[in-house]
Amino acid sequence: MSDADDDVTVPDDSSFGVLSGAFWALVIAFGLGLFFYDFGVVTLEEVVNGQPIGVIHNFRVTMSVIAMVGGGGFVAVTGWFVYRYAAPRRETAAKLRPGSGRYTFSVWSLGIAFLVLMTVFMGASALAQTDQAADPTAQAGTDRVLEMDITAGQWFFRYDVAGVPFTQGNHVVLPADTVIKFRITSADVIHSFAIQELGVKKDAMPGQVNSAWFSVEEVEGERTITVNGTEIPADTYQVTCAELCGKGHSQMVSQVFIVSPEDYRTWVEANGGTVPESFEASEGGHGEEEEGGH
């Protein structure tokens, strides 16, 4: 190789390395900012006030935005590399400079290390608090409680609600502004009780009873149900089986009708039942103390 071949003018890419590092620092900072906004503001407010499904949706939006910004940035940078370093634009490959890309590498290393440490910290904190969950009545903001037993089988759900004198099948009527504590088991194989809109999912195991709770704050009245010839407003939530349980798995669905506490009392009494004492306890308001809880 001649001296002329060795005497290649190498473009100064140091400014580009600084800009690239700054760009990815902004992308990572943007993602972290959204994440901490969700965790520090939205999460701490919404989880205390009730079901965490709103928080799940917010995190999904955050992750989608981060993916679009980060993914879009990656595509943009890749396109720039293709344009800048395409073969027709340069006959001889540039020599590799020691320390090239150190800014981008430093930003990515620090960003990834920080994300890993925060993930470990928050994951460990959440696991440490799993056995210290607050009373669901405090989380839901009501001291009204209703208990329900659920039996899952191929391919059905059966509901036995306290105070209701019969078993409900294809649908179950429940009150709003009430903590619904349920116990679930299976009559045959493994099933899973899931209400996606409320973020509720609990496995039904043969020979084992699992428990959980959920609550709906209010009724918007998207439909009505009939009680003694009177139409009362209700909201509908679909129950599905979230565990593959045989050929009828996809048809294993039922509905939850949520009505106001007053309309629920009317519905129970119209069907020959009596609302339990735990439901009666807060009819006068939310301030009374009640024994029990988790």
Side-chain angles (χ1 to χ4, degrees):
M1 183 179 291
S2 64
D3 293 339
D5 291 331
D6 291 335
D7 189 16
V8 177
T9 301
V10 180
D12 185 7
D13 286 343
S14 59
S15 61
F16 178 75
V18 174
L19 291 176
S20 178
F23 170 79
W24 287 114
L26 288 175
V27 170
I28 293 174
F30 177 75
L32 289 174
L34 284 179
F35 178 78
F36 283 117
Y37 172 79
D38 271 349
F39 184 79
V41 179
V42 181
T43 303
L44 296 182
E45 290 181 359
E46 295 194 16
V47 170
V48 171
N49 292 334
Q51 296 298 114
I53 189 63
V55 178
I56 295 172
H57 287 315
N58 288 330
F59 275 126
R60 184 182 66 180
V61 172
T62 295
M63 296 306 295
S64 298
V65 172
I66 293 174
M68 286 189 290
V69 173
F74 177 79
V75 172
V77 171
T78 301
W80 167 251
F81 283 154
V82 171
Y83 170 76
R84 183 176 177 83
Y85 301 108
R89 295 183 54 83
R90 178 169 301 182
E91 296 181 357
T92 305
K95 291 183 178 180
L96 180 64
R97 286 179 175 275
S100 177
R102 62 183 180 275
Y103 299 106
T104 303
F105 178 78
S106 300
V107 167
W108 273 105
S109 298
L110 292 174
I112 291 173
F114 183 76
L115 286 173
V116 170
L117 289 175
M118 290 304 300
T119 301
V120 171
F121 172 75
M122 286 186 282
S125 300
L127 288 174
Q129 296 174 12
T130 52
D131 294 329
Q132 303 173 9
D135 189 337
T137 56
Q139 288 185 274
T142 177
D143 57 358
R144 183 184 289 110
V145 178
L146 186 64
E147 296 186 349
M148 173 174 65
D149 291 317
I150 305 173
T151 301
Q154 293 178 314
W155 290 274
F156 61 85
F157 289 106
R158 295 289 181 265
Y159 307 93
D160 291 292
V161 183
V164 179
F166 55 86
T167 298
Q168 301 175 70
N170 293 331
H171 65 267
V172 58
V173 178
L174 296 171
D177 193 28
T178 304
V179 172
I180 309 298
K181 291 184 177 180
F182 67 89
R183 296 174 293 271
I184 185 168
T185 189
S186 171
D188 38 51
V189 300
I190 298 176
H191 300 279
S192 187
F193 174 85
I195 307 176
Q196 184 176 359
E197 292 177 84
L198 300 178
V200 176
K201 181 180 181 295
K202 201 67 178 177
D203 288 344
M205 313 284 288
Q208 176 178 319
V209 178
N210 293 330
S211 61
W213 69 274
F214 63 91
S215 176
V216 178
E217 292 184 3
E218 58 186 5
V219 177
E220 296 180 358
E222 63 185 31
R223 61 163 298 164
T224 60
I225 61 175
T226 304
V227 179
N228 289 338
T230 302
E231 299 289 331
I232 61 174
D235 291 340
T236 305
Y237 297 89
Q238 180 169 283
V239 178
T240 60
C241 178
E243 187 77 31
L244 185 61
C245 56
K247 65 179 182 180
H249 167 71
S250 61
Q251 283 78 46
M252 190 171 171
V253 297
S254 64
Q255 290 184 316
V256 174
F257 293 153
I258 300 293
V259 300
S260 70
E262 297 76 16
D263 290 335
Y264 180 74
R265 171 193 290 279
T266 301
W267 179 85
V268 170
E269 293 176 349
N271 285 279
T274 304
V275 293
E277 184 177 349
S278 60
F279 184 81
E280 297 271 15
S282 61
E283 286 293 315
H286 285 196
E288 302 174 15
E289 293 186 357
E290 175 183 331
E291 294 185 359
H294 259 348

